[in-house]
Each structure stands twice: as structure tokens, then as C-alpha cells.
Amino acid sequence: MFLYQVKSNNFLSNEMNFDQEYLFRLKDRFIMIYPPNESVNDMEQKMAYDEIAQHFESYFGAPPCFFARAPGRVNLIGEHIDYCGFAVLPMAIEQDIVMAIKMNDKHVLNLVNFNSEKYKKFSTSVEELQIDTTSPQWYHYFLCGYKGIIEQYKPERDQMGMDILVKGTVPPSSGLSSSSALVCASALATSFAYRISLTKMELASVCAVSERYIGTQGGGMDQAICFLAESGTAKLIEFNPLKTSNVPLPTGVVFVVSNSCVAMNKAATSQFNIRVVECRLAAKVLAKKHGFKWQNVQKLSEIPILLQKDISDMKAVIELDLPQISYTKNELCSILGISDDEFVTMLSENTRLLKNFQLSNRATHVFEEAARVQKFKLVCESGNNDIHELGRLMNESHQSCRDLYECSHPVLDELVKISLEAGAIGSRLTGAGWGGCCISLVMENYVEQFMNVLKKKFYERRSKECPGIDVNSAMFVTKPSGGAALYTLKL
């Protein structure tokens, strides 16, 4: 079996049973090579896909028609600010979600996980999709991507079904965006299977919206880096409008990802959405106090623009206009001049019972973190390889996440502390927090020694809390990977 990768601004290629007229129409319209002629040369990857195909055929009785791959990501700096409208600086990682897919005529989605012992199979009619936001399972994330494509683009073939086998190497609930990768792979596969021509930007945008079906009110970072990533470079991702630019990484150092072994499913708890709501309310209160039409303001990134101030000036604004650490619902209703019922409309479903909101610390973190992203980018682009300044920014980011945004975890704080003691130049949580992973900047020639210290001082000491943990997968050096892609089979 040979694999061919689709390389185009549009994710379109030949499925083995696609009709010839359709294929030539795609060729004429999108100026793409037909058939795709770029093979996947990595033998290990070929073997991995071949194994997935064999599992697919043994379960469904026929080989898959194509594969969809979506990478996980690690955020170098810029935590919890994408949904506030500020730029972030992630890179895709080699760990990914891979789906093997074949269409069926039974109007059913049949989902099987490669790790069938841990993740149960699932089937549903395409006409009766239900996404559980209270106790989401792995397959609900697939349904998010599928539903987003179907509802947005209403394909002619929307009554057809799919057989899907999923294999993931992104550690779940680790802050490396396994859930978003699953949503993105689903949307990519669905758009291809139903013959919908979409650009990477369009796919990133629809996935950012469709992941909210699961109840998470996130921004667009995970989906944007998933589709727009390029091998060998990190990406500065800006919003409104969505755009990206390459950011060169320093030489002589590497980024090491280490898992705290504390899992946090942000869709199953309210902590993430509480922060989203607090930031939205902070933006509205600031707009109100400065005489702007606060009802139209949704994100903190709008405030410096309205005030015509740099983000570095916003700390003084917050100290003056948000003097309290915490505000009650009644106080906020009074400030905004609205009723309880009007206030509730600004909350998400799982935050409607909240009585107190922390606005000052949350807004301070957001503005200062946005400034750190700008500084990090400038240092990387300066060419002076000031790795200690990058480390300082990473350390400040973690302290802010821990103290102002309160999205860390004691075990994660311990891992960051041990990483710095082990020789990391900088270390911080990455992802939503409340567990998951940290990322450390380490000298390239010191990596082995660094990882040995972490193994001894963290993982061996926590073996009881992490039974059967594979240290090799819990701790790894990462480099910038390419973005989502389609692969077709040539037998």
C-alpha cells in the first residue's frame, strides 16, 4: 500500500471511488495535481497507516478510502487570550489524530477507536445526532466536526453515512489539544467525503465554531494551528480577521513537553467557561465605564482600541476601573444597569448559577499575557538568540496563570518547579491548565540530562498517582509539525 498526501490550499483529492467527472471538475477549478503525486516517504508513518488500514478492514470488511490527519499542538506562550481576541504563539506537534474513512449507504455514522479496550464504539443515524455536553465521550468530538460541516454547507450527499476508525497519539486531557484535533480531523474528513471544497482558513473557522457544540466557549487557536501549521516554524495567530505569520525559533535549544498526569476535560467542567465569561464581563464593564456602547463589546482586545491605548497601559486602567477583586452578580447588574434576566443572557449554560465574578485579575492576566506574546515574537525575530529573555517570559506566563488566572494545579506547579531546578531556561503550563502538560525551554545539549532529572524527581516519585505511565510518551522533545492533511490509498 502506498500513501499520497494532498498538498494544496484546498483539501481536495481523489477518493478511490469518486467519479471521474467530479475529479476533473476539481482539477479545473482548483489547479491541483491529479492524481496526487507526493508520497509519504517516512517508512514508520507508512507502517502506522498500513496498521490502521488493516484494523479498519478487519472491522468493516473493506479497506478505507482515505485518511484524515490532524496534529495536536503546544502553545509556546499566550494562554487563555485567544478567546479574548489577542494573538497567540503555538506550534503543531508530531502527535496526531488519524482517521480511516469509507462512505456507506446506510445513513449511519459508525465510529470505532483503535484503542477499543479503552474507548467504546458508537453508531448513530446521520439524522439523529446528539452531542452530550454534560458527560462528553470521545465520539462526541467527531460529531461536532461532522455537524459543523453538514449544517454550514448542507451537502447534497448529506444522507450518506461513514465508517470511521480513529487512532490518536495525542495524550487525552493533557493540554495538547487532542479534542480539537479530533474535531478538525472529523471536519476535514467530512468535507472531503461529501465533496465540499474548503480552504484551510474556512475549515479552521468552521471548526472553531463547531467545537462549541460540546459546550466549550473557546477561541480559535487550536483549530487555526491545526490547519495552518507548517513544519519547522511556530505560528503567530491573530484574530478578527484570522491570519498567521511564521515565527522562527531560537537555535541551540529545544522545547520539552512533560505531562503532569493530571487530566482535565474542559468540556466536562465549568472552570474554562467561567474564565471566558469573566473576561467578557470585564470587557463590558470597562466599555461601560468609559461611555462606550458596552452591549456590542464582547472581547477584551476591543478595549485598548476603543481607548486608543497600548496594551501596556491597560494595567493602570484596570486598577482605576476594576478596583475590586471580586464582583457579585447584583453589583455587575447595577454597574451595567440591567436586570437579572438580562445578565443571565451573557452567561454560558454551565455558568448561570455563579454569584461572584473575578474581573480585575482575569483582565490583568489577559493584557499582560498579550504583551508577553508580542515580546516573545520580537525576541525570536531579532536574531540575537536571547533565550534567557524567552525563558523569563515563559516563567512570568506561568506565574500569571497560577496567581491571576488561577488555571494551574498544584501538581503542575510542582512539575514546573522541578523543571526549572533541572535546568530549564523557562517553563510554563500549556493548554487550558488545571492539569495537563508543561512546556520547558532547554539547551539542546542538555536535554538527556534534563529528562533524566524529571524522570527521577517527578515521574518516579509520582508512580503511585500515575500507575503504568509510559515516561517516554509522557515526556518528549517536540518540533514544529505540519498541519492537517488528507491521504489517499494506492493499492
Side-chain angles (χ1 to χ4, degrees), residues 242-263:
L242 177 63
K243 62 179 180 178
T244 67
S245 54
N246 292 343
V247 176
L249 296 177
T251 59
V253 291
V254 297
F255 291 97
V256 178
V257 176
S258 48
N259 196 336
S260 71
C261 305
V262 177

Side-chain angles (χ1 to χ4, degrees), residues 258-323:
S258 48
N259 196 336
S260 71
C261 305
V262 177
M264 189 275 180
N265 186 337
K266 64 184 180 184
T269 69
S270 62
Q271 289 298 331
F272 185 91
N273 283 353
I274 288 172
R275 302 303 186 275
V276 176
V277 164
E278 288 173 329
C279 289
R280 185 185 303 148
L281 291 171
K284 290 181 178 296
V285 170
L286 290 173
K288 169 76 173 181
K289 290 199 172 185
H290 286 271
F292 296 105
K293 193 171 182 179
W294 64 268
Q295 293 89 342
N296 296 335
V297 173
Q298 297 295 327
K299 299 178 180 180
L300 281 168
S301 61
E302 299 172 59
I303 301 303
I305 297 171
L306 290 172
L307 299 182
Q308 297 183 343
K309 291 181 178 290
D310 188 81
I311 54 175
S312 61
D313 300 323
M314 292 307 299
K315 185 174 183 179
V317 173
I318 292 171
E319 289 174 350
L320 180 65
D321 295 325
L322 295 174

Side-chain angles (χ1 to χ4, degrees), residues 403-422:
D403 300 335
L404 296 178
Y405 221 71
E406 297 181 279
C407 63
S408 190
H409 186 280
V411 176
L412 194 52
D413 294 336
E414 179 190 4
L415 179 54
V416 168
K417 181 175 180 290
I418 292 173
S419 297
L420 292 171
E421 292 173 347

Side-chain angles (χ1 to χ4, degrees), residues 298-363:
Q298 297 295 327
K299 299 178 180 180
L300 281 168
S301 61
E302 299 172 59
I303 301 303
I305 297 171
L306 290 172
L307 299 182
Q308 297 183 343
K309 291 181 178 290
D310 188 81
I311 54 175
S312 61
D313 300 323
M314 292 307 299
K315 185 174 183 179
V317 173
I318 292 171
E319 289 174 350
L320 180 65
D321 295 325
L322 295 174
Q324 299 175 208
I325 292 296
S326 179
Y327 290 82
T328 66
K329 182 178 71 171
N330 290 338
E331 286 174 326
L332 291 174
C333 286
S334 176
I335 291 170
L336 297 174
I338 58 176
S339 66
D340 282 2
D341 290 343
E342 290 174 300
F343 185 82
V344 168
T345 64
M346 296 187 290
L347 307 180
S348 61
E349 185 175 349
N350 62 352
T351 61
R352 288 178 180 171
L353 297 179
L354 287 180
K355 301 297 183 183
N356 293 279
F357 303 84
Q358 293 195 40
L359 307 189
S360 177
N361 283 349
R362 309 308 189 225

